[in-house]
Structures are given as C-alpha cells and as structure tokens.
Amino acid sequence: MSEVTSADAPRSDTGQYHISLERGELAEYILLVGDPGRVAKVAARFDNVEVQRSHREFATATGTMDGMRLSVMSSGIGPDNIEIIVAEILEITDRPTFVRVGSSGGIQPEIRTGDLVISTGAVRLENTTDYYVHPGYPAIAHRDVVWALESVCKEKGYPYHVGLTATAPGFFAPQGRAMRTLPVRYPDLTEELRRQGVANLEMESSALFVLAALSGSRAGTVCAVYAQRLDGTFVDDAAREAAEARCIDAGLAGIYRLWQSDTGGDAAQ
C-alpha cells in the first residue's frame, strides 16, 4: 500500500496522488481525453508505448509517434477532474502543451452531428476556476493550438467549426436538460447561449484553458458533436465512432504539428 505523508500536498510513493505518475513518465505534449477507454484507441496509433498507468479514472500512456514523444491521459468527466489532473501534471512537467479531444453538443443550427468544433475560448459556467481567478477572468485557448487544429482539419477535409464553447459543471440541469424527477433552474440555457453565439456545450475546456494560462502552458480543445441540442438529434453508434476517430485524428495531427513547429521535427529536442 502506498503511503501519503502530507495532507496539504498529497503525494504517494507511487507518484502524484491521483494520476500515479513521476517526473519523466509524461511527455511535454499531452492529449487529454475524457473516457479512459479512449486512451487505448489513441495509444494504438503510437509507434511504441513506454509507460502505461491507470489509477481511478485516470489512465495514461506515454510513447512516441513519428519521432515525437507524447502522452495521452483520461480526465474522467467535469472541470473538477481537469483541475486535479492539470495541477498534478504541472508538478512533474516543465511547460506542457495540452490538446483536449472530447465530445460535445452543438447549439448553432449550422453545426451538424458528427462535425468537429475547435474552441477559441470557453464560457465559464463552472465555478472550479473561481478558486484560482476572478470570475471575470477569461478562459481562452492558446492561439498556437487553435491554428494547429484548424489547419489539420482543413487539410483533412473534416467538417469543422471554430468558435466559443460553454463549459458546464454537470450534464443534466447544468446543460438545461429536463429530467422526469428533478427540477431545472435554467431551462432556457441552451437557447440563451445560442443567442450569444456559443457553438457547443461540454464540461472541461474552461478549466483547462484557465489553468494552462496561469501556468504559462498552451491548451486547446477539439470536440466531436454527438448531439444537436436545437433539434434533439443524437448520433447513432456508427456515426459516433466515426466522429470520435476524426476527432482523435485531428488531435494527434494537431499536436504533432505543434511539435514540428516547436522543434523543427527534431526528435532529439
């Protein structure tokens, strides 16, 4: 059993308390996915895997792809989980680049299920980041990451949109979904966000953008659209798998383009 010696800075003898990783086991280029099952799908595209670790909902694989050392880690669901893993990642890396590969609901009429959305920033509907910054502090994706993701989506011919994302702290009432047994305080939330020009709803990006900015790191998000909230449609299984594969492709190609831009494609750097 691992030992924890400090309540203020919990860390075990197996590494960081939640992600169970030591310095050197993570690359400086990191893909973040929500679902732990998605880690294996991403790692299958690596040329080799040198580290595999799983603790709670946080699964990690580190390896190389075309000369680039990179990692993929699952965050689970929600801004609170992002806060945990980003804080611990920052303890064992220098200045990481994060690309979130996720799923979302579209809230503009031109966004179809199966499309990709690249976030330029996020509306902070969550309050996790209020414990780090003023409520008016913006959650902005790094321009390098937006550029890389947009350029690869354009080259690959993927249907994509670039715009604002709203990050909710939950899935049902926090995204305006009415349930049979529970009240919804803001039933018109989706329509209000649509009028404000927000492209999609998800649950992680604003926390990622704020913490990355505070640490001097780069972060961005590309999400597949699984639901169109305006007409209530949802992708079937085959379409969801295809959209997820495109999103993973875009995330991997985007982070590889950033590495190439940073290093000139030199694996020794």
Side-chain angles (χ1 to χ4, degrees), residues 4 10-12 14-21 53-60 73-74 80-81 83-85 87-88:
V4 177
R11 189 183 184 286
S12 73
T14 59
Q16 294 296 310
Y17 184 64
H18 295 92
I19 62 176
S20 194
L21 294 165
R53 194 70 42 79
S54 183
H55 186 233
R56 302 189 184 189
E57 62 265 59
F58 310 119
T60 304
M73 177 185 290
S74 61
D80 50 340
N81 274 15
E83 186 264 348
I84 289 170
I85 67 166
E88 294 193 357

Side-chain angles (χ1 to χ4, degrees), residues 99-103 116-119 149 153 220-224 247-248 250-251:
V99 174
R100 165 168 148 68
V101 173
S103 58
L116 303 182
V117 176
I118 299 164
S119 304
L149 291 171
C153 284
T221 290
V222 57
C223 280
C247 201
I248 290 172

Side-chain angles (χ1 to χ4, degrees), residues 26-236:
L26 270 182
E28 294 291 318
Y29 296 85
I30 303 167
L31 247 62
L32 296 178
V33 298
D35 183 358
R38 200 174 289 154
V39 171
K41 295 178 181 179
V42 175
R45 307 189 187 202
F46 293 2
D47 297 324
N48 64 73
V49 175
E50 65 187 67
V51 175
Q52 285 186 299
R53 194 70 42 79
S54 183
H55 186 233
R56 302 189 184 189
E57 62 265 59
F58 310 119
T60 304
T62 296
T64 59
M65 183 185 74
D66 296 333
M68 174 182 65
R69 188 168 186 260
L70 75 162
S71 298
V72 56
M73 177 185 290
S74 61
S75 65
I77 300 173
D80 50 340
N81 274 15
I82 287 289
E83 186 264 348
I84 289 170
I85 67 166
V86 171
E88 294 193 357
I89 287 170
L90 293 172
E91 289 295 304
I92 57 173
T93 56
D94 293 322
R95 187 168 289 181
T97 293
F98 299 99
V99 174
R100 165 168 148 68
V101 173
S103 58
S104 67
I107 54 177
Q108 293 297 328
E110 68 273 16
I111 298 175
R112 300 174 180 272
T113 56
D115 289 359
L116 303 182
V117 176
I118 299 164
S119 304
T120 55
V123 181
R124 292 169 54 205
L125 298 179
E126 46 81 21
N127 70 349
T128 300
T129 48
D130 289 350
Y131 291 88
Y132 288 90
V133 294
H134 186 277
Y137 189 95
I140 301 172
H142 196 282
R143 62 182 183 179
D144 290 355
V145 186
V146 175
W147 160 77
L149 291 171
E150 184 173 8
S151 64
V152 299
C153 284
K154 187 177 297 183
E155 286 180 11
K156 290 175 176 289
Y158 291 158
Y160 76 95
H161 310 266
V162 179
L164 285 173
T165 291
T167 297
F171 187 77
F172 293 103
Q175 294 188 36
R177 287 184 169 97
M179 300 298 289
R180 181 178 60 83
T181 58
L182 295 170
V184 179
R185 187 177 180 188
Y186 303 111
D188 299 324
L189 176 64
T190 300
E191 175 57 23
E192 181 179 343
L193 291 170
R194 183 198 64 77
R195 292 197 304 268
Q196 294 171 4
V198 175
N200 63 331
L201 261 166
E202 49 84 268
M203 297 172 59
E204 288 83 22
S205 288
S206 66
L208 174 62
F209 297 165
V210 168
L211 296 183
L214 291 176
S215 65
S217 304
R218 299 181 299 188
T221 290
V222 57
C223 280
V225 175
Y226 285 177
Q228 185 18 285
R229 296 297 306 281
L230 299 185
D231 62 19
T233 57
F234 199 89
V235 290
D236 60 26

